[in-house]
């Protein structure tokens, strides 16, 4: 019951509190997916709807993408000097391309460290991955986990999933199934209708890793995987009563209706040999 209460609290409070972060400087987009949507849709079709600072940022990004890299870098450098963390991160990405010089890559890392230390989640996640791979920095799983957790605390959904995996496996930190499950549920709440790791959540409920075993919820999760969860449902079905399986399906349908996200099966479609659904 305590764990269920915690999840309910997270559902209503977590989205509002994650960005009470250490962020310093100015941030246009804490989520790069939001940035991508604004760039592809709003900036290309209705740029007047964007604040001047955002339009200026996208103008320089567009210059670097259209071959006028020097002009784009110059503009982004000006914004970076003004404390725009998005610009610092973009400079890192541009200046670490394959054809970049060693000195340019070194400058890029300065921008990455600066924006990460200022609390910019995408930079923190990127830095964590560099430590995990040993790219541009010496491989260090402790530093990897530290920066991943910072990004997660600042609301980065991908980092939350990575932190969950870290605690479940003991990668860069002590193993802690309770923390693994906690971060997995935070990731689920943050992603909302776009949450896709039902396999991980289902396995946690099935095996009791960080949460009491609950085959009904496991069955629900596996059903929300769609066709990918058919074998998993078949595996646990013999351990369940008819009523329990029905309840799992009911919870699955309820979640789909509340989030307006439906599996092909719930729409009455079946996968065909050619890969389509009819």
């Amino acid at each position: 019951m305590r764990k269920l209460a915690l999840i309910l609290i997270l559902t209503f409070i977590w989205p509002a509190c994650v960005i009470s972060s250490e962020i310093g400087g100015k941030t246009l987009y804490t989520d790069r997916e939001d940035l991508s949507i604004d760039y592809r849709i709003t900036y290309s079709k209705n740029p007047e709807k964007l604040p001047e600072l955002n339009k200026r940022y996208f103008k320089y990004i567009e210059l670097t993408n259209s071959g006028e890299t020097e002009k784009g870098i110059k503009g982004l450098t000006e914004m970076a000097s003004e404390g725009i963390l998005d610009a610092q991160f973009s400079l890192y990405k541009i200046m670490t391309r394959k054809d970049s010089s060693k000195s340019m890559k070194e400058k890029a890392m300065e921008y990455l460290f600066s924006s990460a230390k200022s609390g910019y989640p995408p930079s923190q996640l990127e830095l964590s991955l560099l430590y995990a791979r040993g790219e541009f920095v010496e491989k260090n799983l402790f530093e990897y986990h530290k920066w991943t957790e910072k990004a997660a605390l600042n609301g980065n959904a991908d980092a939350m999933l990575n932190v969950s995996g870290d605690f479940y496996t003991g990668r860069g930190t002590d193993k802690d199934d309770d923390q693994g499950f906690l971060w997995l549920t935070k990731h689920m709440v943050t992603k909302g209708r776009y949450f896709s790791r039902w396999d991980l959540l289902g396995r946690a409920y099935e095996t009791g890793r960080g949460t009491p075993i609950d085959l009904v919820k496991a069955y629900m999760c596996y059903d929300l995987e769609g066709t990918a969860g058919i074998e998993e449902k078949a595996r646990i079905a013999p351990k369940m009563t008819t009523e329990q399986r029905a309840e799992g399906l009911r919870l699955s349908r309820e979640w789909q209706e509340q989030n307006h996200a439906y599996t092909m099966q719930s729409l009455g479609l079946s996968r065909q040999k050619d890969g389509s659904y009819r």
Side-chain angles (χ1 to χ4, degrees):
M1 287 298 293
R2 291 178 61 189
K3 199 142 290 167
L4 175 60
L6 177 58
I7 292 173
L8 290 174
I9 290 170
L10 285 170
T11 301
F12 293 104
I13 298 180
W14 176 255
C17 73
V18 286
I19 307 300
S20 59
S21 65
E22 64 198 70
I23 290 179
K26 302 174 185 176
T27 302
L28 305 180
Y29 300 95
T30 57
D31 189 316
R32 301 299 287 185
E33 289 182 13
D34 290 342
L35 179 154
S36 179
I37 291 170
D38 255 11
Y39 180 63
R40 289 184 293 104
I41 299 176
T42 309
Y43 182 70
S44 62
K45 297 180 180 179
N46 300 294
E48 68 281 356
K49 292 186 177 182
L50 290 173
E52 286 302 316
L53 201 58
N54 299 55
K55 284 192 287 187
R56 182 180 161 206
Y57 173 62
F58 285 140
K59 172 188 173 183
Y60 298 139
I61 293 294
E62 199 166 64
L63 285 172
T64 63
N65 291 337
S66 62
E68 297 185 77
T69 307
E70 288 187 14
K71 288 184 179 179
I73 288 179
K74 182 179 178 181
L76 289 170
T77 301
E78 291 175 358
M79 295 190 77
S81 67
E82 296 165 15
I84 307 300
L85 302 181
D86 309 65
Q88 294 180 20
F89 181 76
S90 292
L91 284 167
Y92 156 77
K93 297 295 283 186
I94 294 165
M95 297 168 76
T96 51
R97 291 172 180 170
K98 289 183 179 180
D99 57 347
S100 298
S101 65
K102 181 180 178 181
S103 61
M104 186 174 284
K105 289 178 179 177
E106 289 174 349
K107 183 63 178 177
M109 288 303 298
E110 290 179 18
Y111 282 124
L112 183 65
F113 271 107
S114 174
S115 53
K117 289 178 180 178
S118 294
Y120 188 57
S123 293
Q124 293 173 328
L125 178 61
E126 180 72 16
L127 185 56
S128 76
L129 297 176
L130 293 183
Y131 274 116
R133 297 193 296 262
E135 184 179 354
F136 299 125
V137 292
E138 187 176 345
K139 185 173 182 178
N140 187 319
L141 292 183
F142 173 79
E143 287 293 319
Y144 151 75
H145 175 76
K146 181 185 79 173
W147 285 106
T148 306
E149 195 164 37
K150 284 179 179 290
L153 287 168
N154 279 328
N156 188 285
D158 291 335
M160 292 176 194
L161 184 60
N162 289 352
V163 170
S164 173
D166 293 345
F167 279 116
Y168 272 135
T169 62
R171 179 177 52 192
T173 188
D174 294 332
K175 286 185 67 173
D176 188 328
D177 285 356
D178 287 348
Q179 284 293 312
F181 182 77
L182 180 65
W183 279 106
L184 182 57
T185 56
K186 287 179 179 179
H187 171 72
M188 177 187 68
V189 170
T190 303
K191 295 293 287 186
R193 69 188 300 266
Y194 300 107
F195 177 69
S196 61
R197 297 315 306 266
W198 294 110
D199 57 327
L200 297 180
L201 191 58
R203 183 58 62 88
Y205 281 123
E206 180 186 351
T207 59
R209 294 198 64 186
T211 185
I213 291 176
D214 191 328
L215 295 184
V216 171
K217 287 183 180 177
Y219 203 80
M220 174 198 74
C221 293
Y222 293 148
D223 188 66
L224 286 166
E225 281 190 89
T227 54
I230 291 175
E231 291 184 6
E232 292 164 315
K233 284 193 295 183
R235 184 181 65 244
I236 67 173
K239 305 174 186 177
M240 303 173 67
T241 65
T242 301
E243 291 76 16
Q244 287 176 321
R245 293 195 296 273
E247 177 63 8
L249 293 176
R250 187 193 68 77
L251 291 173
S252 172
R253 299 298 185 273
E254 184 178 88
W255 188 92
Q256 293 176 62
E257 290 170 4
Q258 289 176 349
N259 291 276
H260 305 291
Y262 302 94
T263 66
M264 293 298 181
Q265 288 172 298
S266 68
L267 294 173
L269 303 175
S270 300
R271 184 177 176 83
Q272 309 299 310
K273 290 183 179 180
D274 62 0
S276 65
Y277 286 86
R278 290 196 293 274

